Amino acid sequence: MKVNAAFIFIAPEVDYKTANSIIETPTVNLTVIGVSNYSEAEIIVQNLIDRGITAIELCAGFGNEGIARIAKAAKGKASVGAVKFDYHPGFNFKSGDTLFQ
C-alpha cells in the first residue's frame, strides 16, 4: 500500500502556491510544500488531509508551539512529526515560535 505523506517547510516570503512539488515513488507519494507562517500551515494541513495525506512531517523551522498548532489542526486525521532544532541555525538560532506566529 502506498503512503501519501507531506513535508512542510517554513521560511520568510515563501509562497505556498509556487513552493510545492509532488515526488512519486513506488511506495510513497511525498508532497513538499513551503509556507511563510503557522496560520498558513494550519490551512495547508486541512487541504493536505482532504487530498488523502495521512502523514505530515514538519521542518525544523517549526518551534514547539508551531508543532502543537499543526498537530491540533490535523485533528487526528494525519500523523504529525517534526525534524527538530527549535533554535534553527538557518534562522540565526531563533525558534520558529519567535519568527512565524
Side-chain angles (χ1 to χ4, degrees):
M1 181 163 98
K2 212 176 228 194
V3 175
N4 289 313
F7 179 77
I8 303 173
F9 67 94
I10 190 166
E13 301 179 33
V14 171
D15 182 353
Y16 68 88
K17 294 173 192 156
T18 57
N20 64 76
S21 184
I22 299 173
I23 301 165
E24 295 185 31
T25 73
T27 56
V28 178
N29 288 338
L30 178 64
T31 298
V32 178
I33 189 161
V35 297
S36 62
N37 59 58
Y38 291 170
S39 296
E40 204 169 81
E42 290 168 316
I43 294 166
I44 294 299
V45 165
Q46 289 304 309
N47 177 269
L48 292 170
I49 290 168
D50 290 345
R51 291 175 28 208
I53 301 295
T54 58
I56 298 169
E57 186 167 20
L58 305 174
C59 84
F62 285 85
N64 296 323
E65 292 175 28
I67 295 167
R69 284 178 61 172
I70 302 313
K72 184 176 179 181
K75 299 179 183 173
K77 296 178 182 175
S79 297
V80 177
V83 175
K84 201 68 187 96
F85 283 120
D86 198 31
Y87 298 103
H88 196 292
F91 300 142
N92 292 322
F93 296 96
K94 293 181 182 170
S95 171
D97 291 344
T98 303
L99 300 173
F100 301 112
Q101 299 266 352

